[in-house]
Amino acid sequence: MRRIYLDHAATTPTHPEVVEAMLPFFTDAFGNPSSIHSQGQEAKGAIEGARIKVAELIGARSEEIIFTSGGTEADNFALKGVAYANEHKGNHIITTPIEHHAVMEACKFLERRGFRITYLPVDEHGLVDPQDVRKAITDNTILISVMHASNEVGTIEPVEEIGKIAREAGVYFHTDAVQTVGHIPVNVDKLKVDLLSISGHKLYGPKGVGALYVRKGTRLVSLMHGGEQEKRRRAGTENVPAIVGLGKAVGLAGREIDKEAERLAYLRDKLIKGLGEKIDHIRLNGHPTRRLPNNVNVSVDFVEGESMLLNLDLEGICASTGSACSSAILEPSHVLLALGLPPEQAHGSLRFTLGRENTEADIERVLEVLPEIVTKLRAMSPLLKTQK
Ligand code: PLP
């Protein structure tokens, strides 16, 4: 059976050229970048090369890039790093209820330690109103964190407008751009952000590596103490192969970003339209137009997302019912609930996230298979019976 992978927001397959670029750093070029000998310096040079590539893709300077173990660490570093470095100025942080758990849980951690967190409202599409950000800022506000685009519903937030407001107020601004870097153009100056999180495995790079962009002059404390790596901002021997892989992945992404976004948006729209035509009582979650080119998130009435997911899997189609991190728990997604969906609709949600290897034939296959699955499940559904 042909496998159709439509879960690229959870992770992407590592690009073969990325794997190739990484391999020598496990074998011949295995040196420790902190070593002064040539073996070490070769590894160090490779890290610096990757740093330049990451910086280039987002319009930053290479010294503003700190490599991390992934998006989760980058988010934690931004939130906790800024909070503890600036607590003498205030204890107030502004965020949204639709952030990834890496931001949400870091905020809850800080809340338990005396910081005050404001969770801004979002509209039914998951959009933050920049004016709500403006109203929430107080003399005590030290940080605003609003994600660039939602990993669940694909809504692209008005980060540029929020950045302008944050800058006028003199408040640091962080954005989790894990789902956008490498997928749509991202420029830290245009977005007016001070901190920005990146993850390798969401852009055809390896897992366990990411980066935090930190604008020059931003005050943040380190979370890792030890050696002098990353200019003493993040101690620990660098994961050289993974960093090299991230550098290669951003280089490849940068080459084809507009063309690929256009191709995926076409496939996305075909899937949204086809599902709407073939399945009744279905609705699109997230913003209809301000949306990631690869994201389709729908709620199907009278069926459980998990049942659809398992039936699709039997047909070789990989999708998701929410963020991968929470897919082991059968609780409705906090993002869909924040958008105002009743729990039963949140439970009936399905997310398809498209990627580089997907073709029109993949979309046609989903459009052939899913309506039949929904009909079958509805025929057995107690949810439908209670409705009748
Ligand atoms: N932020 C967002 C928006 C994500 O989608 C993810 C991964 O699902 C993360 C952060 C965490 O990134 P990582 O898996 O690299 O820790």
Side-chain angles (χ1 to χ4, degrees):
M1 186 172 29
R2 189 165 66 93
R3 214 176 66 167
I4 300 175
Y5 184 80
L6 292 165
D7 199 13
H8 292 81
T11 196
T12 56
T14 315
H15 196 295
E17 286 185 46
V18 169
V19 176
E20 204 184 317
M22 290 170 70
L23 286 177
F25 295 91
F26 290 105
T27 52
D28 297 343
F30 63 86
N32 185 326
S34 299
S35 300
I36 300 168
H37 51 63
S38 53
Q39 194 86 353
Q41 290 311 296
E42 187 181 1
K44 173 119 187 96
I47 290 179
E48 295 318 311
R51 202 186 304 281
I52 291 169
K53 285 193 196 141
V54 173
E56 261 172 19
L57 186 67
I58 60 169
R61 289 182 271 192
S62 61
E63 63 271 22
E64 295 173 315
I65 304 297
I66 305 177
F67 289 117
T68 65
S69 63
T72 299
E73 186 188 327
D75 285 343
N76 272 268
F77 195 0
L79 272 287
K80 296 173 191 167
V82 168
Y84 284 117
N86 296 280
E87 56 186 333
H88 60 285
K89 285 206 253 163
N91 71 343
H92 181 224
I93 295 169
I94 298 170
T95 189
T96 83
I98 61 161
E99 299 297 315
H100 187 270
H101 285 114
V103 169
M104 293 283 280
E105 293 299 321
C107 283
K108 283 190 203 158
F109 170 89
L110 290 168
E111 210 163 14
R112 288 193 295 271
R113 276 153 189 84
F115 289 89
R116 199 168 66 76
I117 317 285
T118 296
Y119 297 92
L120 298 167
V122 292
D123 72 6
E124 74 270 27
H125 301 310
L127 212 55
V128 173
D129 181 347
Q131 293 317 317
D132 286 335
V133 179
R134 193 190 293 281
K135 282 183 232 152
I137 296 173
T138 71
D139 290 346
N140 269 330
T141 311
I142 50 173
L143 178 67
I144 298 164
S145 181
V146 176
M147 70 198 317
H148 192 192
S150 166
N151 48 306
E152 289 202 34
V153 295
T155 299
I156 301 172
E157 298 296 340
V159 167
E160 199 175 328
E161 290 89 321
I162 297 169
K164 195 161 167 269
I165 292 166
R167 195 163 283 181
E168 279 165 15
V171 175
Y172 288 134
F173 181 33
H174 165 249
T175 194
D176 176 339
V178 163
Q179 294 290 342
T180 54
V181 171
H183 299 281
I184 58 172
V186 172
N187 181 289
V188 291
D189 286 338
K190 189 158 178 275
L191 296 180
K192 299 185 177 61
V193 292
D194 301 302
L195 304 113
L196 179 143
S197 304
I198 300 173
S199 169
H201 71 110
K202 311 288 184 175
L203 50 101
Y204 306 93
K207 294 173 182 59
V209 69
L212 180 66
Y213 157 77
V214 184
R215 187 175 291 282
K216 192 166 185 278
T218 304
R219 289 173 62 104
L220 86 166
V221 300
S222 298
L223 303 185
M224 289 292 179
H225 300 96
E228 307 231 322
Q229 292 89 355
E230 299 297 284
K231 298 211 170 74
R232 306 197 71 198
R233 293 177 297 186
R234 200 270 187 183
T237 302
E238 301 88 337
N239 185 350
V240 184
I243 291 171
V244 169
L246 173 60
K248 183 72 188 176
V250 297
L252 291 169
R255 272 201 331 230
E256 55 186 42
I257 202 160
D258 293 331
K259 223 171 92 209
E260 182 62 0
E262 198 182 315
R263 190 185 76 85
L264 291 178
Y266 166 77
L267 296 180
R268 172 199 67 189
D269 294 343
K270 184 180 168 92
L271 182 55
I272 293 174
K273 187 161 172 281
L275 291 175
E277 283 166 4
K278 292 185 171 216
I279 300 172
D280 53 8
H281 299 288
I282 184 169
R283 74 182 53 74
L284 181 69
N285 295 317
H287 201 279
T289 53
R290 289 187 63 104
R291 165 172 215 107
L292 284 173
N294 74 337
N295 177 293
V296 176
N297 188 315
V298 288
S299 281
V300 183
D301 288 349
F302 319 123
V303 279
E304 292 275 330
E306 286 71 27
S307 310
M308 289 188 280
L309 192 71
L310 294 175
N311 278 274
L312 283 170
D313 196 29
L314 292 173
E315 298 289 338
I317 299 169
C318 301
S320 157
T321 52
S323 70
C325 321
S326 63
S327 62
I329 319 164
L330 288 188
E331 271 181 16
S333 135
H334 70 281
V335 176
L336 296 176
L337 295 181
L339 266 56
L341 262 74
E344 59 281 9
Q345 273 174 19
H347 271 304
S349 82
L350 207 50
R351 180 187 73 175
F352 298 99
T353 43
L354 286 54
R356 211 193 290 265
E357 18 18 286
N358 293 130
T359 62
E360 205 147 358
D362 295 346
I363 303 305
E364 278 154 14
R365 179 81 185 128
V366 177
L367 292 174
E368 185 188 315
V369 167
L370 186 58
E372 286 169 15
I373 292 175
V374 171
T375 306
K376 185 179 84 179
L377 291 173
R378 278 183 178 162
M380 321 188 278
S381 170
L383 300 171
L384 186 58
K385 291 198 185 97
T386 48
Q387 186 78 15
K388 274 182 177 169

